[in-house]
Amino acid sequence: MEQVEVALWIQVAAVLAAVAAVIIAMFAAVAASVVALVLGWLDRRTALAISTADQQFQRLFREQELLQRLLENYNRGGSKDSDEAGRMGSEALTLFGAIGPERLPELWESHVSSDVSFHAHLEDPEMPPYKKEAIKVQLALNASRRALDAHLRTGR
């Protein structure tokens, strides 16, 4: 073999080594991109699960506070003072409305009922304006609870 042939083979080997290095670099870049995408997806999924669990915990914690207030209201056993009895009844009714029918279905049905019955009360000309305003707030609270439930179910 002559020097020219040896030089040619060395050049071919150098070119092949460069092509192999480029291919290896491209493969490493593609592999790193795929790994980054998978890790990003896993991170987002984990963050969503943590966020959903935190939202549910916060909701249950708030519900615990409301139930404790309602239990305290009931444990007082009422009052002989009509103003205090009225305040306690209003507080209990407010707490029923805030807690919702899922936790207290019987009390909800006997005291709060449904949005349909609330709308009927709004049409009652004998209903005092302050009670109509309370009913409107309760309707808004019911709508908010439904939206929150839908949000927690769908994550959106």
Side-chain angles (χ1 to χ4, degrees), residues 109-132:
E109 190 58 38
S110 66
H111 291 83
V112 180
S113 194
S114 68
D115 285 2
V116 173
S117 68
F118 283 134
H119 286 290
H121 288 304
L122 287 176
E123 302 300 321
D124 183 359
E126 305 221 357
M127 179 72 64
Y130 76 93
K131 285 190 176 182
K132 286 184 178 185

Side-chain angles (χ1 to χ4, degrees), residues 7 13 19 36 50-51 59 93 101 128 134 137 139 146 151:
V19 168
I50 290 169
S51 173
R59 183 173 183 205
L93 190 58
V137 172
L139 288 167
R146 286 189 296 270
H151 176 77

Side-chain angles (χ1 to χ4, degrees), residues 66 68-70 72-74 76 84-99:
L66 296 174
Q68 287 170 357
R69 282 180 51 198
L70 183 60
E72 181 181 334
N73 186 304
Y74 271 101
R76 282 189 225 133
E84 178 66 9
R87 190 196 65 72
M88 290 173 66
S90 292
E91 181 183 28
L93 190 58
T94 299
L95 291 169
F96 293 147
I99 294 166

Side-chain angles (χ1 to χ4, degrees), residues 4 17 24 35-36 40-41 45 50 54-55 71-72 82 84 86 91 95 97 99 104 107 113 148 153:
V4 174
I24 290 171
V35 167
W41 175 75
R45 188 179 73 172
I50 290 169
D54 185 53
Q55 287 173 346
L71 183 59
E72 181 181 334
S82 64
E84 178 66 9
E91 181 183 28
L95 291 169
I99 294 166
L104 302 169
L107 291 172
S113 194
L148 178 62
R153 278 192 303 276

